């Protein structure tokens, strides 16, 4: 249901990502408007709402969702608040774009999967935005097209300039490596079966008590091995790379440096300082895809099952980090609602198979349902 064809979206959580999504819905994405914002901090919700014409401010997500003005929900509150927001959205049968993580642990993620299964149709898209990054999509198209032969390994680098106060070693898995966990499942179309974490002597720049950097090894159901360097206080900027090694070649996403300048006896370009900048196009494309699909009555992209699988791998990852042992991952049986073709339903477009295709696309396929 939409109002005059425009999707009224309630944005829950107005922190860094939430307020960036409000701006994106207001200024970048077509076919949607922010009709409500929710934050436990009433003053902050009101300040954000005041900047958007016709937007109301709330402190209770369920109350906002009951408003006639709300057709869909974007969840960008802290992870522990996601489960309640998702279950409330299911009560109103509202489509949801939920920021990662789906929920902070496998048991709560499974409760979300079970609730959506009872609903009988997919309503959740999880915000694994790398699936909407132009280079990652090109890499996916190359692998799917057999251009590299069978994928044998992925070498991943995930570096942040610095961490906010309170960032813990567990968060390096749950907040950061969760992206490589999703990318591995998506690029290879395989489940992750075991996790090992190696912790070198920490950098002198790492906050006390934080293991940084770390090397995370993922093993997959198809026999591939993935190594992830996670280094969240590297100091120089934000850098995410993924190199696929196949039987017949290799390809690497993440080297785009924008303008490349030769001047004053030096060569080079700039490095983005954080993910909001580095993945701006991916966030735009993700949100436009969600709005377009929702207006068509469809749910596409990373599913609640993908969110659950990532949470289960993260849980094993944290155990591996704490014990130093190779830790197997156990998944429950995949409900029929998330049949393999629907769970990864991403129709790659012609743009994705050639260099430089970064424009937003609403041509993804997925589960169809009406409201
Ligand atoms: C953050 O929450 C993100 O999602 C970023 O993409 C990641 O690079 C960062 O490490 C996380 O803290």
């Amino acid at each position: 249901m939409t109002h005059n064809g425009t999707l009224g979206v309630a944005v829950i959580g107005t922190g860094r990502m939430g307020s960036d999504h409000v701006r994106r819905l207001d200024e970048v994405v077509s076919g949607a408007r922010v009709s409500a914002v929710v934050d436990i901090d009433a003053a902050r919700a009101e300040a954000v709402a005041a900047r958007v014409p016709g937007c109301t401010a709330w402190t209770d997500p369920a109350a906002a969702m009951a408003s006639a003005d709300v057709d869909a929900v974007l969840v960008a509150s802290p992870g522990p608040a996601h489960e309640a927001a998702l279950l409330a959205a299911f009560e109103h049968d509202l489509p949801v774009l939920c920021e990662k993580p789906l929920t902070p642990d496998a048991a709560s993620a499974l409760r979300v999967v079970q609730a959506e299964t009872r609903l009988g149709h997919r309503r959740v898209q999880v915000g694994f935005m790398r699936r909407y990054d132009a280079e990652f999509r090109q890499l996916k198209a190359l692998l799917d097209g057999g251009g590299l032969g069978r994928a044998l390994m992925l070498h991943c680098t995930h570096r942040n300039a610095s961490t906010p106060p309170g960032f813990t070693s567990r968060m390096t898995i749950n907040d950061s490596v969760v992206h490589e966990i999703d990318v591995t499942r998506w690029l290879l179309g395989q489940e992750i079966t075991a996790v090992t974490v190696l912790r070198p002597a920490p950098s002198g720049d790492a906050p006390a008590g934080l293991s940084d950097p770390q090397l995370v090894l993922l093993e997959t159901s198809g026999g591939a091995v993935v190594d992830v360097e996670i280094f969240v206080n590297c100091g120089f900027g934000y850098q995410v790379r993924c190199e696929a090694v196949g039987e017949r070649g290799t390809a690497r996403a993440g080297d785009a440096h924008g303008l490349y300048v030769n001047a004053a006896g030096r060569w080079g370009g700039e490095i983005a300082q954080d993910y909001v900048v580095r993945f701006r196009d991916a966030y735009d494309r993700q949100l436009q895809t969600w709005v377009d699909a929702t207006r068509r009555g469809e749910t596409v992209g990373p599913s609640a099952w993908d969110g659950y699988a990532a949470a289960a791998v993260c849980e094993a990852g944290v155990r591996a980090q704490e014990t130093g042992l190779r830790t197997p991952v156990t998944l429950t049986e995949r409900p029929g609602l998330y049949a393999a073709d629907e769970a990864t339903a991403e129709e790659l477009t012609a743009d994705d198979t050639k260099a430089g295709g970064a424009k937003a696309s609403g041509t993804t396929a997925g589960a169809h349902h009406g409201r």
Side-chain angles (χ1 to χ4, degrees):
M1 196 209 306
T2 56
H3 292 81
N4 301 324
T6 300
L7 195 70
V9 180
V11 177
I12 300 178
T14 56
R16 179 133 199 256
M17 279 319 297
S19 48
D20 196 42
H21 283 314
V22 169
R23 176 201 59 76
R24 182 172 288 109
L25 280 164
D26 201 31
E27 297 172 6
V28 183
V29 167
S30 60
R33 56 180 276 271
V34 184
S35 54
V37 291
V38 186
D39 203 293
I40 42 169
D41 179 341
R44 191 156 80 171
E46 271 155 31
V48 174
R51 294 199 290 270
V52 183
C55 177
T56 50
W58 306 75
T59 51
D60 175 14
M65 288 182 216
S67 151
D69 223 15
V70 170
D71 306 312
V73 183
L74 195 163
V75 177
S77 46
H82 288 190
E83 182 182 2
L86 288 161
L87 297 182
F90 293 162
E91 294 265 300
H92 297 278
D93 202 12
L94 291 169
V96 191
L97 175 61
C98 181
E99 266 300 335
K100 47 81 16 187
L102 178 67
T103 66
D105 56 74
S108 53
L110 186 57
R111 287 195 292 273
V112 171
V113 162
Q114 287 163 343
E116 193 178 38
T117 305
R118 279 196 298 276
L119 205 58
H121 47 237
R122 279 191 54 194
R123 278 303 193 198
V124 180
Q125 176 179 333
V126 181
F128 285 128
M129 81 298 185
R130 287 195 197 170
R131 297 192 188 197
Y132 298 91
D133 175 72
E135 284 183 56
F136 275 90
R137 292 175 78 84
Q138 286 161 22
L139 185 56
K140 167 87 173 146
L142 188 62
L143 286 168
D144 284 357
L148 300 181
R150 185 167 56 86
L152 308 171
M153 293 189 286
L154 300 177
H155 299 301
C156 306
T157 317
H158 186 162
R159 298 181 181 137
N160 293 186
S162 60
T163 46
F167 202 89
T168 62
S169 294
R170 280 173 169 234
M171 289 168 78
T172 59
I173 303 291
N174 291 331
D175 277 40
S176 307
V177 179
V178 68
H179 286 293
E180 277 74 20
I181 289 170
D182 181 62
V183 156
T184 295
R185 297 183 61 254
W186 176 63
L187 283 180
L188 303 184
Q190 296 170 24
E191 292 299 350
I192 294 166
T193 52
V195 190
T196 307
V197 179
L198 301 179
R199 302 197 282 176
S203 154
D205 291 333
L210 185 68
S211 289
D212 193 32
Q214 299 167 80
L215 186 68
V216 178
L217 294 177
L218 308 173
E219 296 167 52
T220 74
S221 50
V225 171
V226 177
D227 57 86
V228 183
E229 174 205 307
I230 179 68
F231 189 9
V232 289
N233 285 277
C234 77
F236 64 80
Y238 190 81
Q239 204 170 50
V240 166
R241 290 196 191 117
C242 175
E243 181 181 37
V245 178
E247 288 169 315
R248 288 196 292 282
T250 71
R252 187 162 78 177
D255 288 317
H257 292 306
L259 191 63
Y260 184 97
V261 180
N262 299 301
R266 306 190 69 81
W267 56 265
E270 286 185 7
I271 301 179
Q273 291 300 300
D274 68 18
Y275 47 95
V276 171
V277 175
R278 161 63 181 86
F279 285 110
R280 182 187 289 131
D281 289 346
Y283 282 120
D284 289 355
R285 184 179 191 150
Q286 168 181 260
L287 196 47
Q288 187 67 64
T289 302
W290 176 67
V291 167
D292 290 347
T294 302
R295 291 173 75 212
R296 292 194 306 269
E298 296 177 6
T299 301
V300 301
S303 67
W305 174 262
D306 293 317
Y308 158 72
V313 178
C314 284
E315 226 172 76
V318 168
R319 269 203 306 283
Q321 194 181 46
E322 290 170 355
T323 60
L325 300 174
R326 175 184 178 277
T327 307
V329 178
T330 323
L331 293 182
T332 185
E333 202 180 318
R334 188 197 282 246
L337 184 62
Y338 310 101
D341 54 340
E342 287 191 348
T344 53
E346 293 292 333
E347 212 176 74
L348 296 168
T349 65
D351 272 350
D352 299 318
T353 56
K354 57 177 194 264
K359 76 177 185 334
S361 153
T363 55
T364 45
H368 194 285
H369 50 75
R371 272 197 83 209

